[in-house]
Amino acid sequence: MNAADVNLYLVGFMGTGKTTIGRAVAARVGFQFIDSDHQIEREQAKTIPEIFAEKGEAAFRAMERAFVVEGHPGTRAVVACGGGLVVQPGNLSELQARGVVICLHASVESILARTSRFRHRPLLEVEDPAARIRELYAVRAPIYRRAGSMILTDARPLGDIVNHVLRAWRHEAKDWVRQRSAT
Ligand SMILES: Nc1ncnc2c1ncn2[C@@H]1O[C@H](COP(=O)(O)OP(=O)(O)O)[C@@H](O)[C@H]1O
Ligand SMILES: O=C(O)C1=C[C@@H](OP(=O)(O)O)[C@@H](O)[C@H](O)C1
Ligand SMILES: [Mg+2]
């Protein structure tokens, strides 16, 4: 495969900017943009809060698993993954087999500011969302750390982050193709 066609998977905590950055990066390179949450919402004809309320988190995680196994694109796609997708065993290695994985990162303060304006993240609909973010981030941090290169999205213009992601992706796509052709 040509390095210029390799998929990009954006992972990381809620509110780190996966959906926003992913859409912008896809537009820059003319790739298809896919968001795991949007695809699941379309398939279920329900919003994420409705799925959590009516079917529970475990059912949502099974939908994410199905997205990884069946709903993934061939090539030339940028995929923004819901924040908990790579926490489920096996999902990260599936993504890494299909393209370059980059992890977005942000401080608890930025995440809180970015997520508090919206009510579509059921896991943060609690009395003390800052404490919940810290708690969840602590559990997930080791998984995010081994997911792929980390890009910080705090207090930076979106255009800078998009350029940084593009550079990291181009660089890693060459290694990804080299490693695959060596095996
Ligand atoms: N680098 C950034 N600086 C400021 N606001 C941002 C940045 N990235 C994303 N946002 C805003 O934060 C919110 C959450 O971003 P989103 O892309 O939905 O994150 P995720 O998909 O990782 O949960 C959105 O309102 C978005 O406009
Ligand atoms: O981290 C999580 O467990 C979740 C992240 C959300 O996606 P974003 O990371 O795009 O907000 C969405 O999948 C759901 O609310 C659960
Ligand atoms: Mg998102």
Side-chain angles (χ1 to χ4, degrees), residues 125-140:
E125 290 301 308
V126 293
E127 205 171 305
D128 187 351
R132 169 58 68 84
I133 291 167
R134 269 189 218 101
E135 204 177 276
L136 268 179
Y137 220 146
V139 171
R140 295 177 176 184

Side-chain angles (χ1 to χ4, degrees), residues 39-100:
Q39 187 151 318
I40 289 170
E41 287 182 322
R42 254 196 320 275
E43 281 169 8
Q44 297 292 318
K46 287 183 195 302
T47 64
I48 301 291
E50 285 168 348
I51 295 170
F52 271 71
E54 295 171 22
K55 304 194 168 182
E57 182 175 349
F60 175 70
R61 300 303 173 196
M63 292 167 198
E64 286 189 318
R65 178 70 189 158
F67 169 83
V68 170
V69 175
E70 300 151 19
H72 61 84
T75 60
R76 295 178 65 81
V78 175
V79 184
C81 298
L85 185 145
V86 291
V87 177
Q88 305 310 305
N91 284 349
L92 176 59
S93 53
E94 294 269 1
L95 301 185
Q96 287 169 332
R98 299 194 165 102
V100 168

Side-chain angles (χ1 to χ4, degrees), residues 18-20 35 37-38 80-82 121:
K18 303 175 297 291
T19 299
T20 310
D35 186 288
D37 287 334
H38 300 166
C81 298
R121 294 181 177 87

